[in-house]
Amino acid sequence: MRIILARGENIYKRKDGRWEGRYPKEKNADGSIYYGYIYGKTYRIVREQLLAKKSLISASEDKIQQSFKGSFADLVDFWLDQLIKENIKESTYTSYQNKFNLHILPVIGNIPLDQINVQQLEYLISKMNEKLSASSIRITFRLVKSCLEAAKKRGYIQLNPAEQISLPKVERTQVKALTRQQHALLLSESRKDIKGLPITLALETGMRIGEISALKWCDVDFEQNLIYVCRTKQRISNTSNGKSKTKLIETTPKTQRSKRLIPLTSALKKQLLNAKSQSSSPYVVENRGESIEPRTISYRFERMKKTLNLPSLHFHALRHTFATRCIELGVNISTVSALLGHTSTKMTLDIYTHSIFEDQRMAIEKLSSLSS
């Protein structure tokens, strides 16, 4: 016996004697219906429970529609300014804001929140794919997913359609580092002049350019031969009404693990003591008492590269060079990870797989020589 109810609901008697009712529980992100089921001893019990479920779902849907009437851009403003701004660094907030304004809002910003679906998000991915790398797409789309998840938790939407999106696969590329010969040549040149100190610091500590720019003499312990990395400098977009489009800020390092202790080599200690004897600034890398910002350090590195006829590499390649040499010399990966301030050893392994593989190859060749 089957009784068809209105709007897709139905009740029928099962072979085990019980009655089963089906009702449209919610919609999936792709628009298809997800059904719920109710079981009872009699048709009447099941029918009454179905009607009760239908009433609750209808009330819930009405509440959702009344809770948030705005567009996705309105949700982004709410998420950034009301939910997360107080818990993130100014540089992080600016980075999020730029990603939304450049890559996300021009595509889906005007769409009402309750109309955002899988197809629209897939279109967003296709548009980002025209300009961004796979890794950048993943980082940027993570913001979309977080926004929609916040909307879901607050009852503005029932499902997060971003959960069903397949993102492009990231292909690991080999990090660019200097050869040992290039490394030695650059290190020798950087020690000739005080302006080369940032390069020596990068090659002998693996510090990031912003960390070098923000380093103060109070962060250097000459008695214990240690550098304490506890701040960084970076240039971010200026969201105020000032004339400048960007501004330089000093803030805490990239992550909690980026705060770290790095031992001093004897050669670097000597160069630092020489620089301190000539300095009247609290900053290690300075000009006329003021710290030198990261882009000035990069300009100086570019000039030195041209002088030495070195390949076209960014300043960050010096950090990669430091890590590569450590691995080549047999330093264990957890120690390298700690020196670099990575959030995990997995991150270090992912970045320096090539260097580690070369060590593995050499180990196999050594074993082979023993058996020959």
Side-chain angles (χ1 to χ4, degrees):
M1 176 181 179
R2 175 184 288 268
I3 303 174
I4 304 297
L5 298 182
R7 307 184 76 174
E9 295 174 350
N10 62 79
I11 301 174
Y12 73 94
K13 194 170 186 179
R14 295 161 51 96
K15 291 181 179 180
D16 62 6
R18 292 184 302 163
W19 290 82
E20 177 182 311
R22 187 180 77 164
Y23 63 96
K25 191 173 184 180
E26 58 188 22
K27 283 189 177 181
N28 293 315
D30 60 3
S32 61
I33 297 174
Y34 173 70
Y35 289 96
Y37 296 87
I38 290 175
Y39 304 94
K41 291 182 178 180
T42 67
Y43 162 78
R44 183 177 178 180
I45 290 174
V46 172
R47 184 174 184 276
E48 287 176 353
Q49 290 183 9
L50 278 177
L51 291 173
K53 284 286 185 183
K54 179 181 176 181
S55 177
L56 285 172
I57 291 170
S58 178
S60 176
E61 288 176 348
D62 289 342
K63 182 180 177 181
I64 288 172
Q65 291 176 357
Q66 292 170 9
S67 296
F68 197 93
K69 293 287 187 180
S71 65
F72 183 74
D74 294 326
L75 174 67
V76 168
D77 289 340
F78 171 70
W79 184 72
L80 282 174
D81 295 330
Q82 302 298 320
L83 299 185
I84 68 167
K85 188 173 184 178
E86 297 301 319
N87 300 317
I88 59 176
K89 296 193 297 183
E90 182 183 6
S91 57
T92 304
Y93 176 86
T94 304
S95 174
Y96 287 178
Q97 196 174 54
N98 287 341
K99 287 180 175 65
F100 276 118
N101 291 336
L102 289 173
H103 307 299
I104 300 169
L105 296 184
V107 183
I108 63 171
N110 292 328
I111 300 174
L113 174 62
D114 59 2
Q115 293 180 24
I116 296 287
N117 58 35
V118 171
Q119 290 73 29
Q120 289 158 344
L121 295 184
E122 286 176 340
Y123 177 69
L124 171 64
I125 296 295
S126 69
K127 296 300 290 182
M128 288 197 291
N129 199 41
E130 296 173 3
K131 300 178 181 179
L132 302 177
S133 65
S135 60
S136 294
I137 290 174
R138 284 178 171 268
I139 292 169
T140 304
F141 190 75
R142 195 180 301 147
L143 299 179
V144 176
K145 190 173 182 179
S146 296
C147 264
L148 292 172
E149 189 61 28
K152 178 184 172 184
K153 287 181 178 179
R154 282 160 180 76
Y156 301 158
I157 55 176
Q158 288 182 294
L159 294 171
N160 183 351
E163 293 176 352
Q164 296 192 24
I165 298 298
S166 297
L167 297 174
K169 185 178 180 181
V170 177
E171 294 184 4
R172 291 289 176 186
T173 56
Q174 182 181 338
V175 295
K176 294 182 178 179
L178 297 172
T179 64
R180 292 193 180 196
Q181 184 178 4
Q182 293 166 343
H183 183 169
L185 181 65
L186 180 61
L187 191 57
S188 175
E189 186 69 19
S190 70
R191 286 171 175 163
K192 292 179 181 178
D193 189 280
I194 196 169
K195 291 183 178 180
L197 181 57
I199 294 171
T200 310
L201 279 164
L203 287 173
E204 299 216 343
T205 68
M207 290 171 66
R208 301 177 178 93
I209 191 170
E211 295 168 345
I212 293 171
S213 175
L215 186 67
K216 294 183 177 181
W217 290 116
C218 60
D219 304 325
V220 184
D221 186 337
F222 288 107
E223 290 186 5
Q224 299 296 323
N225 295 324
L226 291 170
I227 290 177
Y228 179 44
V229 181
C230 57
R231 61 179 67 85
T232 187
K233 285 202 171 190
Q234 63 185 120
R235 186 164 286 280
I236 65 171
S237 298
N238 190 0
T239 55
S240 64
N241 295 323
K243 294 181 179 180
S244 177
K245 293 182 179 180
T246 62
K247 62 180 179 180
L248 188 66
I249 63 167
E250 184 172 303
T251 183
T252 54
K254 192 173 181 181
T255 64
Q256 191 61 37
R257 284 201 59 178
S258 292
K259 293 181 179 180
R260 60 200 188 277
L261 290 171
I262 303 176
L264 278 175
T265 64
S266 56
L268 178 57
K269 179 180 179 180
K270 181 179 178 180
Q271 192 172 354
L272 283 169
L273 285 169
N274 179 54
K276 189 177 182 182
S277 67
Q278 304 174 49
S279 176
S280 58
S281 169
Y283 290 97
V284 174
V285 180
E286 54 90 19
N287 182 37
R288 298 177 182 176
E290 299 293 329
S291 69
I292 296 177
E293 68 166 291
R295 65 182 178 185
T296 302
I297 294 175
S298 290
Y299 294 154
R300 290 182 177 179
F301 175 56
E302 290 298 318
R303 289 200 297 268
M304 192 174 291
K305 276 195 311 182
K306 290 180 180 179
T307 301
L308 300 176
N309 197 28
L310 292 174
S312 179
L313 295 172
H314 293 296
F315 189 91
H316 199 72
L318 304 183
R319 176 172 161 88
H320 291 322
T321 299
F322 166 81
T324 301
R325 291 295 98 81
C326 285
I327 294 169
E328 288 174 354
L329 294 170
V331 180
N332 70 71
I333 200 68
S334 61
T335 300
V336 176
S337 182
L339 288 170
L340 294 174
H342 281 168
T343 53
S344 67
T345 53
K346 181 182 181 302
M347 181 180 180
T348 314
L349 284 166
D350 288 343
I351 296 173
Y352 298 103
T353 298
H354 178 77
S355 297
I356 295 166
F357 181 74
E358 290 303 315
D359 284 351
Q360 292 170 343
R361 186 192 297 278
M362 291 175 63
I364 294 298
E365 287 175 354
K366 287 179 180 179
L367 286 173
S368 178
S369 65
L370 291 175
S371 59
S372 61

